[in-house]
Amino acid sequence: MSGVDAKLVAQRLTSLIHRFMDAELLKTALFYAERLFAMDGTNHDSRHLLANVMLKLDQPHSALHLATRPQDEACAGCLYIAARCNERLQRPSKAKDLMSKALHILGRTSGDRSQ
């Protein structure tokens, strides 16, 4: 598949996943989110989308694993998802720490843009 084709396929899959999530067809959304993530496992957007679908399907352990992969540097989105997973897993102190880190990253990033 060429680069243009892969980009179009990724856009279409993302659109389908959002539609299925809106319609509460979560297992179908999971199927397509897994395919999207398999196309490019380094893409943070596809990882976030898959983790959010897993979280909606009450799979917080799987979503947490995706959001906290050790080989990747965590972004604010990953930290936010990890915080939500920890809330669902009844770990409020860990969730609070992760949310604080996410907000710190967002604050630092928005401060850089204003200068």
Side-chain angles (χ1 to χ4, degrees):
M1 203 181 309
S2 71
V4 173
D5 291 342
K7 185 177 180 181
L8 291 174
V9 169
Q11 288 175 346
R12 180 66 177 146
L13 286 175
T14 301
S15 174
L16 284 171
I17 294 162
H18 285 291
R19 284 185 183 182
F20 290 130
M21 286 178 70
D22 289 343
E24 294 296 320
L25 298 168
L26 299 177
K27 289 184 179 181
T28 305
L30 178 64
F31 174 83
Y32 287 109
E34 287 171 340
R35 297 316 172 268
L36 179 62
F37 185 69
M39 285 175 56
D40 182 7
T42 62
N43 184 319
H44 261 65
D45 292 333
S46 64
R47 182 189 321 173
H48 295 167
L49 199 51
L50 178 56
N52 277 314
V53 173
M54 288 177 167
L55 196 55
K56 281 192 123 187
L57 277 168
D58 202 26
Q59 297 177 7
H61 287 95
S62 298
L64 183 62
H65 175 73
L66 269 176
T68 58
R69 289 175 30 162
Q71 67 268 31
D72 298 324
E73 186 175 332
C75 67
C78 290
L79 292 170
Y80 175 73
I81 293 168
R84 288 179 42 214
C85 291
N86 277 293
E87 281 179 337
R88 188 78 57 89
L89 293 169
Q90 304 296 316
R91 302 175 186 160
S93 61
K94 183 72 173 170
K96 183 180 175 185
D97 292 341
L98 290 167
M99 188 62 73
S100 295
K101 288 179 185 177
L103 291 173
H104 177 72
I105 289 173
L106 287 175
R108 185 177 60 215
T109 304
S110 65
D112 292 343
R113 288 184 196 149
S114 65
Q115 295 176 350

